[in-house]
Amino acid sequence: MYRTEEEVELLQSQIDEASSTSERVKLSKQLKKINEQLLELNKYEEVVHHWGDKMEPMDLDDGVKANYAKFQKLLAKIKKISFRSKSISIYILLV
């Protein structure tokens, strides 16, 4: 069992045992956030698993454009920064 699944079970039991409405609402929000994160992780895991099954090689000599095209679904845009009047985006491989 994953840690987040244990958290879901714990939060659910805390919600059931909560004495005040405000406490139930607070715990319900936490539970909703964790469930959304689990859903996102499951979707990403499917993408990574599919890509891993293909066993597509990565050759650094192919260059950024070729490898970016291969790994586009595995990349996440993490930050947009400005440098010398130019805006650039930084990507990170999430494997």
Side-chain angles (χ1 to χ4, degrees):
M1 184 180 292
Y2 295 108
R3 181 177 157 246
T4 50
E5 290 172 343
E6 291 173 357
E7 288 179 41
V8 167
E9 290 178 3
L10 178 64
L11 279 172
Q12 191 60 55
S13 67
Q14 289 175 343
I15 290 169
D16 294 340
E17 297 170 0
S19 58
S20 69
T21 304
S22 63
E23 187 178 353
R24 273 194 296 277
V25 168
K26 178 182 164 190
L27 293 170
S28 294
K29 285 181 182 180
Q30 289 176 356
L31 181 61
K32 181 181 177 187
K33 182 178 178 181
I34 289 174
N35 282 328
E36 289 171 354
Q37 290 172 343
L38 277 172
L39 182 63
E40 182 181 354
L41 285 172
N42 288 335
K43 287 180 183 179
Y44 186 70
E45 182 181 20
E46 288 177 20
V47 172
V48 171
H49 192 292
H50 174 71
W51 184 82
D53 286 345
K54 291 188 335 185
M55 305 233 355
E56 190 170 331
M58 179 171 83
D59 187 0
L60 295 178
D61 292 333
D62 288 345
V64 173
K65 284 187 178 182
N67 285 317
Y68 178 83
K70 285 181 189 177
F71 300 102
Q72 188 169 3
K73 289 186 178 181
L74 299 175
L75 296 172
K77 189 175 188 177
I78 58 168
K79 191 164 188 170
K80 189 170 189 172
I81 61 172
S82 295
F83 181 72
R84 294 187 183 170
S85 305
K86 294 183 180 181
S87 253
I88 60 171
S89 298
I90 298 172
Y91 292 87
I92 184 168
L93 184 60
L94 297 174
V95 178

